[in-house]
Amino acid sequence: MDSQDVKRRTKDADQPDTTTDAKNEDMRTKREKRMAMAKRGIKSLGVAVALPLALSLFNIYFFGSRNGYGNISKPFWFPPMWALHFACLSSTFLMGLSAWLVWAEGGFHKEPTTLSLYLAQLGLSFAWEPIVFRMGATWFGLVVCLAMFGALVGCSRKFMKLNPIAGDLVKPSLAWATVVAIVNLKLALV
């Protein structure tokens, strides 16, 4: 018998392929883990964005401009009330999204001051509208607005270190806080 024609059998045909089955099982488990992680991520993103938006809508509904924003003489560049509310909602959405991106990176655990800056900004943005439009305290509203701007600058710097995309998402909110400060200053001087 010629040894070159002999083929060697590596396994019996009756035995199942345990290595392939183990690999397939491992792949299924990894896929299931990733799917479960993605579902948790989507849920946490929904909470991180929907909760501040709901609070902002509540704030607009109950503390919107019932105190004469439409009655004062304004320059042509003043935003109408609907644009003011829409921009506040957009800013809240962007801040919630950027905070979620930082949270997903573990940034709130690495640097706890980041969370306090975000919560300060959120609280100040919710406080500004009742102070200015409901109570009519425009000078105090300007102080709140400047503090909100400072918290946004801090958020921008911390977020940029932890996740550059999250830091970039804060920039439109910074621009909006500047516009709000200018509008508030004009309201205070009227």
Side-chain angles (χ1 to χ4, degrees), residues 12-28:
D12 290 334
D14 296 338
Q15 288 181 335
D17 188 5
T18 57
T19 58
T20 306
D21 289 342
K23 286 180 184 177
N24 287 341
E25 184 66 29
D26 190 39
M27 293 289 280
R28 269 186 251 133

Side-chain angles (χ1 to χ4, degrees), residues 5 13 50 61 68 93 99 102 116 122 131 154 173 179-180 187 189:
D5 292 335
Y61 182 75
F93 171 78
V102 169
S116 58
L122 196 62
I131 289 170
S173 297
V179 171
V180 167
L187 288 173
L189 294 176

Side-chain angles (χ1 to χ4, degrees), residues 4-47:
Q4 295 192 1
D5 292 335
V6 175
K7 293 183 180 179
R8 187 168 178 212
R9 195 167 63 179
T10 58
K11 64 178 181 174
D12 290 334
D14 296 338
Q15 288 181 335
D17 188 5
T18 57
T19 58
T20 306
D21 289 342
K23 286 180 184 177
N24 287 341
E25 184 66 29
D26 190 39
M27 293 289 280
R28 269 186 251 133
T29 345
K30 285 182 182 178
R31 188 178 325 127
E32 289 170 0
K33 285 180 183 177
R34 281 185 296 198
M35 290 298 289
M37 203 160 150
K39 286 180 183 177
R40 283 194 315 266
I42 290 174
K43 287 179 185 176
S44 64
L45 173 61
V47 169

